[in-house]
Amino acid sequence: MANEELLEQEYFNQPIEFNDQLLKDKYFTEAIEKIKAIVSIPSFSGSATKDAPYGGAVKEVLHYALNLAKSLGFKTYCDPENKYGYVEYGQGAEIFAILGHLDVVPPGNLDEWKVPPFKPEIINNILYGRGVLDDKGPTIINLYCLKYLKDHNYQPKRRIRLIFGLTEETSWDSIKTYMAKEGTPTFGYTPDGLFPLTYAEKGIINIDINGPGYDAVKILGGNAYNVTCSTTTISDLTAENLDKFYQIALDKGYRIEKQDKEIIIHGKPAHGSKPNEGINAGLRALLVLKELGFDHPLINFVADVLQEDTVLIEHFGQYDDESGGFTFNVGIIEINEQFSRLSCNIRFPVLTKQAVILNKLQTLLAPYHLTTAIEHYDKPLYMALDSPLVTKLMTIYKTVTQDQTAKPIAIGGGTYARSMPNCVAFGAIFDDSISTEHQYNEAISLKDLWQSMLIYVRAISSLGNLDHI
């Protein structure tokens, strides 16, 4: 080996000595304050303007993150259209990407929050606020891990990019634009899933079921495909039907409000991958209307087929593999004089074909003369368990947590990992059974955030100098 090669190897393989106390006292403490600051920006999708394609608040959150990174001494880049940005450290032809996102789902009914969703607060060592878990908190933690490494003269073999995506919760236009303009990174992870590591993700279809308008009632509920419709407003009923609707819903034990000439049904939000954990206020509204004798294709389809079922085995059959089963979430329901629609989030196992699901749905809709329009499709993700990326990250996770029995998992959620090859979801949720993403009172414990920082700082250090991928 030439002397130059020996020097290069020695230069890049200098070990990093991790001072966890310093990491906690200085970097973690500051990261928490910056998480609270960035969570205070209500960065759910808004109306597009010339220089804010995803809404003003989304542009604001992008520039906050980039200015923060600049203040920490990093090189940054902002897309001229404000569709994405990134932080870069190191040199080389290869790029190791950390794919974060700064957009959030809407907060829903503000009365359901124990703290205002965009005024984050720590209560009993738990941080509450929209985005603390999904995905602003983990993204900022990764930024401060990179800051720690930079301050300790860490020299990676390749460039490390922390990419700020802006439409993960909606269209994915942001990360698609990044890939089109910048090219595909060599490998990476997204801190937007589960620990220890996610190697498989179901296919996801966001689809509108469209029908005709209706002048006998107006319905509006929900605000995202991938969140259970948790609040629905019913209006334009006759006084008699308004009273009957209210009584039927009350008798069924629904949470309901009667306000002048409208009724509001409250349900419970849940992530689109786990609709069984929610209560769908929109479907309940249509079922009450059917009971009252209302005749409309969308109402009839819900009453005959969907009900409040989220797996629909009777109609779609049994689809199940290592990534889990089939799920059907109705996120938005709208009926007015001009049109009607159900905006749905369908998730299917990695070994199932998209065409099979769509063909079955079309067959179910045909008797009601309802049509469909696909709003977004994410193909399934599968990463080989023996790949260098998976084995290295699993080793780091086991070393930090001392959990030698941990195994990679498959999920129903969809992450940025599927936006590029050689990418996995790596944290930041430790216990999916108590996860609160997309729900009221989204939260993460300071203990879990700190544990994730210990893992991420070692992961970045290791992957930055990985020999082969």
Side-chain angles (χ1 to χ4, degrees):
M1 184 181 290
N3 289 337
E4 291 83 357
E5 291 180 278
L6 285 169
L7 287 171
E8 180 180 330
Q9 185 181 61
E10 185 176 320
Y11 177 73
F12 285 120
N13 288 335
Q14 291 296 317
I16 291 289
E17 292 187 7
F18 294 104
N19 182 332
D20 290 344
Q21 194 61 54
L22 175 63
L23 182 66
K24 187 171 188 179
D25 290 346
K26 180 179 179 181
Y27 298 86
F28 180 71
T29 299
E30 185 173 330
I32 294 301
E33 292 308 308
K34 300 306 180 183
I35 291 170
K36 291 166 70 175
I38 201 168
V39 167
S40 70
I41 302 171
S43 54
F44 51 89
S45 179
S47 299
T49 61
K50 184 177 180 180
D51 66 343
Y54 311 127
V58 178
K59 177 187 173 183
E60 180 185 353
V61 81
L62 172 62
H63 285 266
Y64 175 88
L66 292 172
N67 288 333
L68 171 60
K70 283 181 185 177
S71 74
L72 297 176
F74 287 107
K75 172 186 173 183
T76 65
Y77 176 80
C78 183
D79 170 58
E81 298 178 282
N82 289 309
K83 287 193 170 186
Y84 65 86
Y86 61 77
V87 177
E88 185 169 282
Y89 180 66
Q91 298 179 352
E94 293 186 346
I95 295 176
F96 155 38
I98 303 167
L99 306 178
H101 72 86
L102 304 178
D103 60 312
V104 297
V105 296
N109 183 4
L110 299 181
D111 293 336
E112 299 284 350
W113 287 76
K114 65 172 62 180
V115 302
F118 300 110
K119 292 183 178 179
E121 187 175 337
I122 296 172
I123 303 174
N124 296 326
N125 290 314
I126 296 175
L127 177 59
Y128 291 89
R130 176 60 87 219
V132 296
L133 176 62
D134 182 17
D135 184 41
K136 292 177 177 178
T139 299
I140 296 300
I141 288 292
N142 273 266
L143 175 62
Y144 274 85
C145 288
L146 196 56
K147 170 64 173 171
Y148 175 90
L149 294 173
K150 176 178 177 293
D151 287 352
H152 289 78
N153 199 34
Y154 167 69
Q155 301 297 331
K157 291 182 177 180
R158 51 186 59 88
R159 284 176 287 165
I160 300 173
R161 276 191 186 173
L162 175 55
I163 300 169
F164 299 134
L166 303 175
T167 58
E168 196 274 345
E169 302 292 3
T170 52
S171 67
W172 282 37
D173 180 69
S174 173
I175 197 66
K176 289 176 181 177
T177 302
Y178 171 90
M179 298 295 174
K181 289 186 175 182
E182 306 287 342
T184 304
T186 312
F187 67 93
Y189 69 74
T190 178
D192 190 29
L194 303 175
F195 282 123
L197 179 145
T198 302
Y199 74 97
E201 299 180 8
K202 294 179 185 178
I204 301 176
I205 308 168
N206 283 351
I207 192 166
D208 289 328
I209 298 174
N210 298 308
Y214 196 36
D215 60 6
V217 65
K218 183 180 288 185
I219 304 279
L220 183 60
N223 44 37
Y225 288 81
N226 59 348
V227 183
T228 301
C229 178
S230 60
T231 303
T232 298
T233 301
I234 304 95
S235 58
D236 285 10
L237 288 171
T238 65
E240 180 182 2
N241 279 329
L242 194 74
D243 290 340
K244 287 181 178 179
F245 187 107
Y246 181 75
Q247 192 58 53
I248 290 172
L250 209 59
D251 292 343
K252 291 179 180 292
Y254 296 168
R255 291 177 56 209
I256 188 168
E257 296 178 56
K258 189 176 181 183
Q259 300 179 351
D260 296 327
K261 297 181 179 181
E262 66 180 27
I263 286 174
I264 301 173
I265 293 183
H266 297 286
K268 177 186 175 185
H271 192 283
S273 65
K274 297 175 283 188
N276 58 301
E277 296 181 3
I279 297 173
N280 200 303
L283 293 179
R284 288 187 165 186
L286 298 192
L287 291 171
V288 173
L289 289 172
K290 180 65 176 179
E291 199 168 325
L292 279 171
F294 282 74
D295 185 22
H296 181 272
L298 212 61
I299 295 173
N300 296 337
F301 172 69
V302 168
D304 297 342
V305 178
L306 296 186
Q307 293 283 319
E308 292 184 65
D309 193 359
T310 59
V311 293
L312 298 170
I313 291 175
E314 178 184 348
H315 301 285
F316 279 86
Q318 181 75 52
Y319 294 103
D320 206 348
D321 60 30
E322 59 189 292
S323 64
F326 171 89
T327 59
F328 193 103
N329 177 68
V330 177
I332 302 171
I333 294 179
E334 188 169 9
I335 298 177
N336 56 46
E337 290 184 354
Q338 285 75 43
F339 66 90
S340 58
R341 66 165 172 146
L342 301 179
S343 293
C344 308
N345 181 255
I346 299 172
R347 303 187 183 226
F348 58 93
V350 295
L351 300 180
T352 302
K353 300 295 184 182
Q354 178 203 26
V356 173
I357 300 300
L358 292 177
N359 288 340
K360 290 214 171 188
L361 180 59
Q362 297 293 350
T363 300
L364 289 170
L365 294 173
Y368 304 92
H369 304 288
L370 298 169
T371 62
T372 60
I374 295 177
E375 188 271 343
H376 182 71
Y377 169 60
D378 292 327
K379 62 183 180 181
L381 165 76
Y382 185 88
M383 175 72 77
L385 293 175
D386 61 353
S387 70
L389 181 60
V390 171
T391 54
K392 176 59 71 174
L393 289 177
M394 284 302 301
T395 297
I396 292 167
Y397 177 84
K398 290 179 179 181
T399 300
V400 173
T401 63
Q402 295 297 298
D403 180 3
Q404 300 304 317
T405 64
K407 295 181 179 180
I409 57 177
I411 64 169
T415 73
Y416 269 164
R418 67 180 80 205
S419 68
M420 57 175 274
N422 298 318
C423 192
V424 296
F426 187 52
I429 298 171
F430 285 93
D431 185 354
D432 190 38
S433 68
I434 57 172
S435 175
T436 54
E437 78 275 26
H438 292 198
Q439 298 181 31
Y440 297 131
N441 302 309
E442 181 179 340
I444 186 169
S445 71
L446 297 185
K447 177 184 175 182
D448 282 357
L449 274 173
W450 167 237
Q451 181 91 318
S452 75
M453 192 172 208
L454 290 172
I455 294 169
Y456 286 133
V457 73
R458 288 161 172 82
I460 295 170
S461 172
S462 181
L463 294 182
N465 282 331
L466 197 64
D467 287 329
H468 303 288
I469 192 68

